[in-house]
Amino acid sequence: MIVNGKEMDFGKITILKLLENLNLGVNKVAVEVNLEIVPNENYSEYVLSPGDKIEIIRLVGGG
Amino acid sequence: MDKLSIGGKLLDSRLLIGTGKFPNKSIIPRVIESSESKVITMALRRVDLNSQEENILDYIPKDCILLPNTSGARNAKEAVRIARLAKAMGCGNWIKIEVISDNKYLLPDNYETAKATEVLAKEGFIVLPYMSPDLMAAKSLVDAGAAAVMPLGAPIGTNRGLQTKELIRILIDEINLPIIVDAGIGKPSQAAEAMEMGAKAVLVNTAIATAGNPVEMARAFSLSVKAGRMAYLAKAGAQRQYAEASSPLTGFLND
């Protein structure tokens, strides 16, 4: 799968487990899979597949 | 001071502030406190998987309204995507539309901005579009369902003040939505000038973030925005070409 433009191999994994693996807090990011936003409450059930394109977004300072 | 009404909220402060460019994020809570601002902007970016980054929300008091921007969007479609991500992240439903494809002057694309505004307003967002001051474009933002119109005073980050003053004056005169001057304001006197003209609020980031003492500069902006608003409500006296004595012209001692 591709996470934020980077090729990664986690096999079949839920979004929750992926975020845990990457050390990211679930409440501090938004996740898109193949350009579709996945609601926070679905992270524990949503199983990612190899080939999925995942974007993990966070808030930064800005004007 | 009279309150500012935007998107069904009544705001005590007419100063909105941004969180970009601060050399040290830990100063942000004290900047927000001294600014008295209750509407705070931020941006969305990809998580950098190679570094543990701080979360900007940790520095913003919980009673503030979050105003994420769509910076990075080059067209309406990208702006809509970023706005929806912000909502999914729990930022609430306020969004500053920023659609820019010009990298030198960072001037916004008014046409794409109106398209994004229309889509997002229909989805229930409180949309505050950043725009180049142009009356027809502002009217199309009103029609698209914007909650306010945010013309630039000068290009982003330039601290050059109200270079577009005459065009902003026309928007204030003709547009029946709050006009918030966003971008370019470099000094408190310029913020006061915008408020004296009848702008309903100003949005400041660079001028505070890059000041020698951002906490004191935030306070100076807070005072200047209040002074400008008070002056607007008090209605300035007329300008004249020639002198008109302030003291009586009779009863001189040498008469």
Side-chain angles (χ1 to χ4, degrees):
Chain A
M1 63 184 70
I2 296 172
V3 182
N4 287 7
K6 261 194 183 160
E7 186 77 52
M8 290 191 170
D9 184 14
F10 287 104
K12 280 201 175 294
I13 188 172
T14 64
I15 291 177
L16 187 66
K17 282 273 175 256
L18 175 71
L19 294 176
E20 279 173 17
N21 268 304
L22 295 170
N23 261 327
L24 297 170
V26 287
N27 295 319
K28 296 181 171 179
V29 296
V31 177
E32 256 184 6
V33 180
N34 305 323
L35 295 178
E36 290 279 335
I37 295 169
V38 180
N40 200 317
E41 58 267 26
N42 297 354
Y43 289 174
S44 56
E45 294 133 46
Y46 196 115
V47 180
L48 298 164
S49 316
D52 279 343
K53 276 184 90 171
I54 298 121
E55 287 285 344
I56 309 174
I57 311 293
R58 68 188 184 106
L59 292 169
V60 300
Chain B
M1 184 79 56
D2 63 325
K3 291 179 196 251
L4 169 62
S5 171
I6 298 180
K9 293 258 189 210
L10 285 177
L11 303 169
D12 285 317
S13 168
R14 291 170 180 271
L15 173 62
L16 290 68
I17 65 170
T19 54
K21 295 185 190 164
F22 282 93
N24 181 356
K25 287 193 192 63
S26 62
I27 202 175
I28 291 176
R30 285 196 291 136
V31 167
I32 293 174
E33 191 189 348
S34 64
S35 75
E36 298 178 72
S37 177
K38 287 284 177 278
V39 181
I40 313 296
T41 69
M42 66 227 46
L44 280 79
R45 290 292 180 272
R46 262 182 174 173
V47 167
D48 180 354
L49 299 172
N50 296 320
S51 74
Q52 279 293 324
E53 297 144 324
E54 307 160 277
N55 189 311
I56 193 77
L57 287 188
D58 296 341
Y59 299 98
I60 300 174
K62 298 286 171 270
D63 64 337
C64 290
I65 294 171
L66 304 179
L67 180 60
N69 67 38
T70 66
S71 64
R74 290 156 298 178
N75 54 48
K77 205 175 153 200
E78 290 175 1
V80 168
R81 180 185 175 197
I82 294 168
R84 289 172 180 159
L85 279 164
K87 200 180 207 175
M89 212 172 309
C91 286
N93 63 347
W94 286 44
I95 190 79
K96 169 179 162 178
I97 306 280
E98 192 177 325
V99 181
I100 293 172
S101 52
D102 155 50
N103 288 329
K104 186 172 179 186
Y105 289 105
L106 298 177
L107 292 177
D109 183 328
N110 284 346
Y111 177 66
E112 292 292 316
T113 298
K115 284 203 287 183
T117 298
E118 184 163 18
V119 172
L120 293 169
K122 279 194 182 125
E123 289 181 19
F125 281 87
I126 305 297
V127 183
L128 288 83
Y130 170 60
M131 56 103 63
S132 277
D134 172 86
L135 181 58
M136 295 309 137
K139 284 184 176 177
S140 67
L141 291 171
V142 175
D143 294 342
V149 174
M150 303 208 293
L152 61 96
I156 295 172
T158 58
N159 285 343
R160 292 179 62 216
L162 298 175
Q163 300 295 325
T164 60
K165 188 174 174 181
E166 185 57 20
L167 295 166
I168 290 177
R169 192 192 62 73
I170 293 169
L171 297 192
I172 290 169
D173 193 30
E174 292 293 310
I175 297 297
N176 199 15
L177 278 179
I179 301 297
I180 301 174
V181 179
D182 181 3
I185 291 180
K187 293 188 278 199
S189 55
Q190 294 159 351
E193 186 181 13
M195 297 304 295
E196 285 169 10
M197 282 165 60
K200 291 284 195 291
V202 298
L203 198 162
V204 179
N205 186 351
T206 302
I208 294 174
T210 64
N213 184 336
V215 176
E216 281 299 294
M217 189 56 85
R219 181 169 154 69
F221 268 102
S222 174
L223 292 168
S224 71
V225 167
K226 283 182 200 170
R229 179 65 186 169
M230 262 185 230
Y232 171 75
L233 294 174
K235 297 193 173 67
Q239 285 191 21
R240 294 169 183 276
Q241 178 85 16
Y242 300 110
E244 188 191 34
S246 302
S247 309
L249 290 173
T250 55
F252 291 121
L253 300 185
N254 54 359
D255 274 354

